[in-house]
């Protein structure tokens, strides 16, 4: 049946099973329509293509290079999964590294126990002891050679004080710098550097002619030797097992005392007898110890931890007659830091100078980071206590070290002044003075046609006197002056009585022929043998205290040693108020040194045990720098009161020792602490 409707409409089925209808023939304007269905919008019409082959269709943004939204979502999902994977991997690595770091101290202590204590440690003990001895020599040598240098270079009292100050400042800077560097460059390498610097510049200072050049050389020498103490103690500590650290570190401290004995004994034997011409021999003789120490370190070639520990093991057991014992440790795991990885990455790039610059700048950053890390909460409190104890101990010890010899010299001066002979209105005519004039005052005297020849005039003052037609020949004078005198028709031939020794004097027809100008002429008075004896006895008194502290350091603990020693030393300083003679001062000085050395030993032991290996040298360097700073402050304060009052210096030393001793009791005990 031919229906007009069915003739004009074509029915088609799509792949999705839906029917579409299109108008054929002469429909209106040729537009398709659907019967019995509402008109669809464009979005609805586009849904009709759903289920079509996507491979045959193209995303219209692809022409513009814009990624498909599905691709963006997939990329973000992959990035999140990768970030989570890396986070889990990093956490696992950090946990593994933390476990390794926590196990390293136990592992290292076990290895050291297996290696034992034997020839290796004793060899290292003596070589490091020479380095420590060199530091002790350097601390004493300036004071002993200073009188000779004063006469060779015409140094004033102000310049002498500048020399002492400069040596302490250079040692303070050296301790701060080398203490930090030894944590990054290695102990042995830095120790060789500091000893070589000290050896070279100390040797050159023996030949210095100008005072400015001498100061520069002594500063460089002090910068070198100032770093030896932090390196020596940290280096030796890391080769000792826990139950032997306190005792053997205390024995090592004894070398500093031996350096003082060595310096004072040789100065006593050489300088007073041979004078300024042989001071150079004294210095050269002393620095042979430094040369021996440098040579001893050059023999060690191993830099890796495993090789070093194997050398320790083999050396000790071969010396004990068991060479067949095998070092069972195959490797030592050490965690690698980001800075180490950075250096490794940069070491293969750029020029040689750029690689060197990267390494040095990175090392400097690591040193500064180490310094800043010492203020961490877990280290801050114990660090503050240590700083207080170090400062108090150094302030009192070095302050009294300056005060003792100066006080003895002042007592000698007072005793000398009390024995002065005074001559008033004497008249001497046509007399030949062929004997020495010592410790005299001549007032309003008259000397007519007198001759002074081949004599020594020591501590003599002529006041308001007349010299007429006199003749002075071959005169050696010390602390001799002419004040308000009248000198007529007088000849001075080959004498050291130059015009600077005549104060407000009237001279008429007076002649000076071949004057012997130079401060070296007053040499003999300055080198008083009592000063060398005092220094020698003070160094010798340290010996019994050092032995006792070494024997009991591991038995009664570091804290009791430090606190007890400082409080006992404060009692010794208080008893100085009862000393009214040179002998009493010397006795109390020896007692103070004997008691206080135990506190020094305990401080040095606990300072290296409290800090981990990566910060040990830095921390000890800072503490030793504070020690030198306290010595500088104390030297000025204590020296200012010599001859004025002894109450204030003694009270300051007493208060500092009591304060430091009480604070020391708050420090943690490290007797059974495994090095971290």
């Amino acid at each position: 049946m031919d229906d007009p409707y069915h003739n004009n409409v074509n029915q088609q089925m799509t792949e999705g099973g839906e029917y579409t209808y299109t108008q054929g023939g002469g429909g209106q304007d040729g537009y398709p329509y659907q019967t019995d269905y509402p008109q669809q919008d464009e979005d609805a019409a586009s849904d009709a293509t759903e289920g079509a082959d996507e491979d045959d269709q193209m995303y219209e943004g692809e022409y513009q290079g814009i990624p498909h939204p599905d691709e963006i979502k997939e990329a973000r999902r992959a990035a999140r999964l990768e970030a989570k994977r890396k986070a889990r991997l990093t956490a696992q690595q950090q946990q593994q590294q933390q476990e390794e770091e926590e196990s390293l101290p136990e592992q290292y202590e076990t290895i050291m126990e297996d290696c034992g204590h034997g020839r290796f440690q004793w060899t290292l003990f003596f070589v490091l002891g020479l380095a420590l001895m060199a530091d002790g020599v350097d601390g004493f040598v300036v004071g002993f050679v200073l009188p000779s240098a004063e006469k060779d270079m015409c140094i004033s009292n102000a310049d002498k004080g500048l020399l002492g100050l400069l040596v302490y400042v250079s040692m303070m800077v050296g301790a701060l710098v080398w203490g930090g560097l030894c944590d990054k460059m290695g102990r042995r390498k830095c120790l060789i550097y500091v000893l070589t610097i000290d050896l070279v510049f100390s040797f050159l200072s023996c030949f210095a002619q100008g005072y400015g050049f001498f100061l520069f050389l002594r500063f460089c020498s002090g910068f070198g030797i100032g770093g030896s103490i932090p390196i020596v103690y940290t280096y030796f500590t890391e080769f000792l097992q826990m139950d032997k650290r306190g005792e053997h570190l205390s024995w090592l401290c004894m070398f500093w005392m031996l350096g003082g004995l060595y310096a004072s004994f040789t100065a006593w034997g050489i300088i007073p007898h041979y004078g300024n011409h042989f001071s150079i021999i004294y210095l050269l003789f002393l620095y042979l110890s430094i040369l021996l120490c440098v040579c001893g370190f050059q023999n060690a070639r191993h830099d890796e931890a495993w090789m070093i520990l194997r050398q320790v093991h083999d050396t000790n057991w071969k010396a004990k007659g068991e060479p067949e014992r095998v070092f069972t440790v195959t490797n030592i795991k050490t965690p690698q830091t980001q800075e180490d990885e950075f250096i490794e990455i940069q070491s293969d790039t750029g020029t040689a100078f750029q690689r060197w610059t990267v390494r040095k700048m990175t090392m400097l950053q690591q040193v500064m980071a180490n310094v800043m890390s010492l203020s961490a909460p877990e280290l801050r409190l114990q660090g503050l206590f240590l700083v207080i104890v170090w400062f108090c101990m150094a302030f009192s010890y070095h302050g009294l070290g300056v005060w003792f010899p100066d006080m003895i010299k002042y007592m000698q001066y007072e005793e000398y002044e009390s024995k002065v002979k005074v001559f008033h209105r004497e008249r001497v005519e046509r007399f030949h003075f062929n004997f020495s004039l010592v410790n005299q005052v001549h007032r309003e005297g008259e000397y007519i046609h007198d001759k002074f020849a081949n004599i020594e005039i020591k501590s003599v003052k002529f006041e308001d006197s007349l010299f007429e037609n006199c003749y002075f020949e071959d005169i050696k004078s010390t602390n001799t002056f002419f004040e308000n005198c009248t000198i007529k028709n007088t000849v001075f031939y080959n004498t050291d009585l130059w015009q600077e020794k005549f104060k407000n004097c009237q001279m008429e027809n007076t002649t000076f022929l071949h004057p012997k100008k130079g401060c070296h002429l007053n040499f003999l008075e300055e080198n008083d043998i009592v000063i060398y004896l005092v220094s020698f006895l003070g160094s010798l008194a340290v010996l019994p205290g050092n032995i006792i502290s070494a024997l009991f350091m591991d038995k009664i603990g570091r804290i009791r040693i430090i606190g007890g020693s400082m409080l006992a030393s404060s009692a010794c300083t208080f008893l100085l108020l009862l000393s009214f003679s040179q002998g009493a001062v010397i006795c109390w000085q020896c007692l103070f040194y004997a008691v206080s050395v135990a506190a020094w030993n305990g401080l040095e032991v606990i300072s290296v045990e409290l800090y981990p290996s990566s910060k040990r040298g830095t921390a000890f360097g800072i503490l030793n720098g504070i020690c030198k700073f306290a010595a500088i402050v104390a030297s000025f304060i204590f020296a200012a009161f010599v001859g004025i009052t002894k109450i204030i210096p003694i009270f300051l030393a007493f208060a500092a020792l009591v304060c430091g001793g009480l604070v020391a009791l708050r420090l943690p005990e490290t007797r059974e602490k495994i090095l971290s």
Side-chain angles (χ1 to χ4, degrees):
M1 177 176 176
D2 294 334
D3 191 338
Y5 176 80
H6 289 90
N7 289 333
N8 294 317
V9 178
N10 297 323
Q11 181 177 354
Q12 296 179 352
M13 180 181 291
T14 65
E15 295 180 359
E18 297 179 354
Y19 291 91
T20 61
Y21 301 86
T22 58
Q23 182 179 2
Q28 283 186 344
D29 298 326
Y31 290 103
Y33 66 93
Q34 294 178 330
T35 304
D36 299 333
Y37 291 95
Q39 187 176 358
Q40 298 178 355
D41 56 9
E42 294 181 359
D43 292 338
S46 66
D47 292 340
T49 63
E50 185 178 356
D53 189 359
E54 296 180 359
D55 294 337
D56 296 336
Q57 300 181 15
M58 182 177 293
Y59 171 59
E60 61 180 3
E62 187 174 350
Y63 290 108
Q64 303 175 4
I66 300 175
H68 195 280
D70 293 338
E71 296 178 358
I72 296 176
K73 293 179 181 178
E74 186 66 26
R76 290 176 177 173
R77 187 180 300 110
R80 287 195 297 269
L81 292 175
E82 181 65 18
K84 291 180 180 179
R85 187 187 67 82
K86 289 184 177 180
R88 286 195 299 269
L89 182 61
T90 303
Q92 292 175 358
Q93 291 176 345
Q94 291 178 348
Q95 182 179 2
Q96 182 180 1
Q97 181 177 349
Q98 184 178 0
E99 292 175 355
E100 290 178 354
E101 291 179 354
E102 292 175 354
S103 64
L104 275 177
E106 293 285 351
Q107 178 191 11
Y108 192 82
E109 182 65 26
T110 302
I111 294 173
M112 290 309 304
E113 290 176 355
D114 184 56
C115 292
H117 190 91
R119 177 179 292 178
F120 183 91
Q121 280 84 358
W122 286 113
T123 302
L124 188 64
F125 172 78
F126 285 108
V127 175
L128 291 175
L130 286 176
L132 200 58
M133 185 175 175
D135 182 89
V137 168
D138 215 64
F140 284 91
V141 69
V142 173
F144 292 147
V145 182
L146 196 57
S148 174
E150 177 186 4
K151 304 313 166 189
D152 286 341
M153 303 176 186
C154 298
I155 302 174
S156 64
N157 288 331
D159 289 336
K160 286 195 296 183
L162 178 62
L163 177 59
L165 172 65
L166 196 67
V167 170
Y168 273 117
V169 170
S170 63
M171 294 176 75
M172 178 180 69
V173 175
L176 295 173
V177 172
W178 291 108
L181 288 178
C182 76
D183 280 335
K184 297 303 175 183
M185 295 176 59
R187 322 290 196 213
R188 184 181 66 89
K189 183 185 295 185
C190 285
L191 189 57
I192 292 175
Y193 287 163
V194 299
L195 293 175
T196 303
I197 290 172
D198 183 44
L199 176 64
V200 171
F201 287 101
S202 296
F203 179 80
L204 294 177
S205 69
C206 299
F207 305 96
Q209 298 300 317
Y211 182 62
F213 190 51
F214 182 74
L215 282 178
F216 170 75
L217 294 175
R218 291 308 307 170
F219 181 87
C220 295
S221 172
F223 174 75
I225 201 63
S228 64
I229 288 184
I231 302 174
V232 164
Y233 284 106
T234 55
Y235 195 21
F236 192 52
T237 299
E238 290 160 359
F239 287 98
L240 296 173
Q241 54 201 65
M242 182 178 62
D243 59 340
K244 295 184 180 296
R245 278 202 309 264
E247 178 183 353
H248 288 272
L249 283 173
S250 299
W251 291 126
L252 185 66
C253 297
M254 192 166 57
F255 277 93
W256 196 90
M257 176 270 298
L258 293 177
L261 278 176
Y262 181 38
S264 58
F265 183 76
T266 50
W268 187 6
I270 294 177
I271 295 180
H273 299 290
Y274 298 103
N276 55 328
H277 300 292
F278 281 82
S279 291
I280 185 173
I281 298 176
Y282 167 60
L283 283 172
L284 292 175
F285 185 60
L286 288 178
Y287 287 110
L288 284 176
S289 62
I290 305 176
L291 181 61
L292 292 173
C293 185
V294 173
C295 294
F297 274 107
Q298 294 293 349
N299 293 328
R301 300 291 182 185
H302 301 295
D303 295 324
E304 298 295 332
W306 182 86
M307 298 178 68
I308 294 175
L309 291 175
R310 181 179 178 181
Q311 182 189 11
V312 175
H313 178 277
D314 294 346
T315 302
N316 288 343
W317 289 110
K318 284 180 182 179
K320 295 177 181 179
E322 298 183 33
E324 68 279 359
R325 294 194 61 158
V326 180
F327 187 55
T328 57
V329 180
T330 56
N331 65 337
I332 299 176
K333 295 182 179 180
T334 55
Q336 189 179 43
T337 63
Q338 294 181 353
E339 292 84 356
D340 297 330
E341 296 175 356
F342 177 73
I343 293 176
E344 290 180 2
I345 294 172
Q346 295 294 325
S347 62
D348 296 329
T349 61
T351 63
F353 177 75
Q354 289 174 338
R355 292 195 297 269
W356 180 88
T357 304
V358 168
R359 292 191 185 98
K360 299 308 176 186
M361 292 303 297
T362 305
M363 182 177 65
L364 179 61
Q365 293 174 3
Q366 292 176 351
V367 171
M368 296 306 299
N370 245 2
V371 173
M372 298 304 296
S373 66
L374 294 177
S375 61
E378 64 272 12
L379 300 176
R380 188 182 303 158
L381 186 60
Q382 66 187 29
L384 177 61
F385 287 162
L386 269 179
V387 167
I388 294 174
V389 178
W390 271 86
F391 184 89
C392 292
M393 187 65 203
F395 179 82
S396 57
Y397 185 89
H398 291 287
L400 289 176
V402 171
W403 185 81
F404 282 131
D406 284 353
M407 192 64 188
I408 291 172
K409 290 176 68 175
Y410 178 75
M411 288 181 171
Q412 288 178 330
Y413 174 76
E414 282 190 326
E415 183 180 357
Y416 193 77
E417 286 287 313
S418 65
K419 298 178 180 179
V420 64
K421 296 180 180 179
V422 180
F423 299 87
H424 189 67
R425 291 184 178 180
E426 63 175 352
R427 179 181 176 86
V428 183
E429 189 172 354
R430 300 184 183 278
F431 185 78
H432 182 193
F433 289 87
N434 58 359
F435 51 87
S436 296
L437 304 179
V438 180
N439 198 19
Q440 299 176 1
V441 176
H442 299 263
R443 296 191 178 101
E444 299 180 5
E446 295 182 2
Y447 305 92
I448 313 297
H449 293 284
D450 293 330
K451 182 178 181 179
F452 300 80
N454 297 314
I455 64 173
E456 178 182 359
I457 306 177
K458 182 178 179 181
S459 299
V460 176
K461 182 184 293 185
F462 295 95
E463 299 177 353
D464 303 309
S465 299
L466 172 65
F467 293 86
E468 187 173 357
N469 295 317
C470 293
Y471 183 77
F472 291 81
E473 181 180 2
D474 293 330
I475 304 297
K476 294 182 179 180
S477 66
T478 301
N479 195 28
T480 296
F481 299 97
F482 297 79
E483 295 183 1
N484 302 318
C485 295
T486 302
I487 303 174
K488 300 180 180 179
N489 303 318
T490 298
V491 176
F492 293 88
Y493 180 82
N494 194 32
T495 71
D496 61 357
L497 298 172
W498 59 91
Q499 295 182 4
E500 287 80 356
K501 293 196 173 185
F502 297 89
K503 301 179 181 180
N504 300 323
C505 294
Q506 296 180 359
M507 297 189 179
E508 300 177 8
N509 195 24
T510 301
T511 305
F512 291 87
L513 300 175
H514 303 288
K516 297 188 292 186
K517 292 187 177 181
C519 51
H520 62 279
L521 301 171
N522 297 335
F523 176 82
L524 293 177
E525 191 229 356
E526 297 293 336
N527 290 294
D528 193 343
I529 197 171
V530 176
I531 301 302
Y532 298 111
L533 178 62
V534 169
S535 299
F536 179 78
L537 292 176
S539 300
L540 188 62
V542 174
L543 182 60
N546 213 316
I547 294 175
I548 294 174
S549 65
L551 294 176
F552 289 94
M553 187 68 69
D554 287 324
K555 293 181 174 61
I556 66 176
R558 288 77 161 124
I559 304 306
R560 293 180 181 178
I561 288 284
I562 299 172
S565 174
M566 294 186 74
L567 294 176
S569 299
S570 66
C572 294
T573 59
F574 186 77
L575 293 175
L576 282 170
L577 293 172
L578 305 177
S579 59
F580 301 99
S581 64
Q582 297 180 41
V585 172
I586 294 174
C587 289
W588 289 122
Q589 173 198 10
C590 293
L591 181 60
F592 172 77
Y593 285 155
V595 175
S596 61
V597 68
W600 279 121
N601 293 354
L603 269 178
E604 285 152 356
V605 171
I606 198 173
S607 297
V608 295
E609 290 179 330
L610 276 177
Y611 292 94
S613 179
S614 60
K615 301 177 178 62
R616 190 170 295 134
T618 304
F620 203 104
I622 292 174
L623 293 172
N624 200 253
I626 291 172
C627 170
K628 297 298 186 292
F629 174 74
I632 294 171
V633 175
S635 298
F636 281 103
I637 294 177
F638 280 70
F641 290 100
V642 173
I644 300 176
T645 178
K646 62 181 180 181
I647 296 177
I648 295 179
I650 292 174
F651 175 76
L652 290 175
F654 174 81
L657 288 169
V658 171
C659 175
L662 294 177
V663 173
L665 298 176
R666 300 292 304 275
L667 290 170
E669 180 58 66
T670 58
R671 179 172 44 170
E672 298 180 356
K673 177 181 174 62
I674 297 178
L675 292 182
S676 56

